Amino acid sequence: MFDLDAVDLQGLGDLLDDQPFPGGHLDPETGEVWPAVDDDHGTDDEDDPAEKGWVFVAGEGSRGAYRDMALFAHHVADARLRRRLEDALTGRGAFRRFRSVMDDQPEEVRRAWIRYRSLGQERRAIRWLDAMELVDTQEVEARDAATTTEMDAILDSLDDRPRPRVVDIGERLSSFSDHWSPKVVALLNDYEVKLVKVQGEFVWHDHPDTDELFLVVSGRLTIRLRDGDVVLGPGQLYVVPRGVEHCPVAEEEVSLLLLEPTGVVNTGAAGGPLTAAHDTSLLEGQQRDTDGLSANAPGHRAG
């Protein structure tokens, strides 16, 4: 077994990433690594790596290193820099273009990338040693976890944008009891995911500019249409096409998940007392400024 602390993890990571040469060897006594082509360690029989008992390291390609660049770029909060980095990753020459963009950035960003890249190589090296059964598994697990934690911390330091959280639908539904008053629980691009409890009859209305999705979580919902009713049970959904008049009805309490664009007025042009305020009180981790999106709109309710 190798002593993990004695291994040149950075050099091993270079070999695995095919940088600067395709593969090489690992010296089991010193933990040093040597590229497959190295004039300082000639090809005489006495210097033959196999004769010395060195471990051959086959290059694995640049996929892991590319993934590190993509993750780093994705977590950059500055939209302009994020786009430049993502554009640099498109097509051949991605590594050169990415490096060129990073060279123009403030020292803090450059240092974060250099450290993140180094940790990524070390982690790939650690996992390779484990897969080859050359190091103690418990030692690997501890080192791998520590490396991953530091890499995640670097990404968090780059990205001050709100991070999505897991939404427990049952827990959210249990937190309110009012009817016809949807609560925004998540954001999807320019759409809002909402939960609502309904009972009784809504108002006939339509949405001329957007479809509307109804998903029944519990209960039984009837969506009245001019040409016939649609009845939904738990786990069933229906999309009301844009411009189609409809009227949701629930004889008993029904819990629903709704999906519709931000700013849509629930009652359309119908208006009336069943129009509720835009409620984001249950939205966590994805908060964004919605001022101006529907400043004059009376808000949302199921419908």
Side-chain angles (χ1 to χ4, degrees):
M1 288 288 180
F2 282 82
D3 179 357
L4 191 56
D5 290 330
V7 178
D8 178 5
L9 296 176
Q10 189 68 57
L12 179 55
D14 280 338
L15 295 187
L16 293 170
D17 290 345
D18 288 343
Q19 300 174 11
F21 303 105
H25 292 86
L26 172 64
D27 185 338
E29 294 185 2
T30 66
E32 293 179 283
V33 296
W34 304 102
V37 179
D38 191 330
D39 292 337
D40 291 336
H41 291 73
T43 57
D44 294 340
D45 290 342
E46 62 182 31
D47 291 327
D48 185 356
E51 293 279 335
K52 288 176 169 285
W54 291 1
V55 179
F56 177 66
V57 181
E60 297 180 341
S62 59
R63 180 176 299 179
Y66 182 91
R67 181 176 180 274
D68 287 345
M69 291 192 301
L71 281 173
F72 189 91
H74 176 73
H75 284 81
V76 171
D78 183 272
R80 181 173 177 274
L81 175 56
R82 186 169 63 253
R83 284 193 297 271
R84 289 184 63 196
L85 291 173
E86 290 174 344
D87 289 344
L89 292 173
T90 303
R92 300 183 62 179
F95 287 85
R96 174 182 53 79
R97 290 192 301 271
F98 190 93
R99 183 169 58 251
S100 177
V101 173
M102 290 304 302
D103 285 344
D104 294 335
Q105 302 312 309
E107 181 179 359
E108 180 181 357
V109 177
R110 294 200 309 272
R111 288 173 60 186
W113 164 240
I114 291 171
R115 181 57 179 162
Y116 186 80
R117 179 185 61 190
S118 175
L119 288 168
Q121 286 187 315
E122 289 184 13
R123 185 169 63 177
R124 287 190 289 280
I126 292 169
R127 292 176 177 178
W128 181 86
L129 289 167
D130 185 42
M132 297 294 290
E133 300 182 347
L134 297 174
V135 289
D136 179 74
T137 299
Q138 290 185 339
E139 186 180 5
V140 165
E141 290 176 350
R143 187 70 167 268
D144 189 295
T147 302
T148 299
T149 297
E150 186 174 353
M151 293 179 73
D152 289 344
I154 291 174
L155 296 182
D156 287 342
S157 71
L158 292 171
D159 193 353
D160 57 3
R161 294 170 296 174
R163 306 295 291 275
R165 299 181 182 179
V166 173
V167 176
D168 186 317
I169 292 177
E171 183 275 329
R172 290 290 192 271
L173 285 169
S174 68
S175 68
F176 65 92
S177 59
D178 51 337
H179 294 152
W180 303 109
S181 183
K183 322 292 182 185
V184 181
V185 295
L187 306 175
L188 177 65
N189 297 321
D190 294 326
Y191 281 73
E192 292 178 328
V193 180
K194 296 177 281 189
L195 294 176
V196 61
K197 292 179 179 178
V198 302
Q199 187 170 0
E201 183 173 338
F202 199 55
V203 61
W204 280 95
H205 67 288
D206 69 341
H207 303 290
D209 299 320
T210 182
D211 301 340
E212 185 176 24
L213 182 148
F214 292 79
L215 170 62
V216 175
V217 178
S218 65
R220 191 173 182 84
L221 178 74
T222 298
I223 301 177
R224 291 179 179 169
L225 305 172
R226 294 303 185 187
D227 59 356
D229 296 346
V230 174
V231 180
L232 302 175
Q236 295 182 314
L237 67 80
Y238 182 77
V239 177
V240 177
R242 67 185 64 191
V244 173
E245 282 192 295
H246 58 287
C247 177
V249 178
E251 294 184 5
E252 304 292 338
E253 185 177 78
V254 176
S255 294
L256 299 171
L257 182 148
L258 308 175
L259 179 65
E260 59 187 17
T262 299
V264 170
V265 179
N266 67 307
T267 53
L274 291 180
T275 303
H278 186 228
D279 190 343
T280 60
S281 61
L282 298 184
L283 180 62
E284 297 182 2
Q286 285 185 281
Q287 291 283 4
R288 68 182 178 195
D289 182 6
T290 57
D291 291 346
L293 288 175
S294 54
N296 298 318
H300 301 257
R301 279 196 182 182

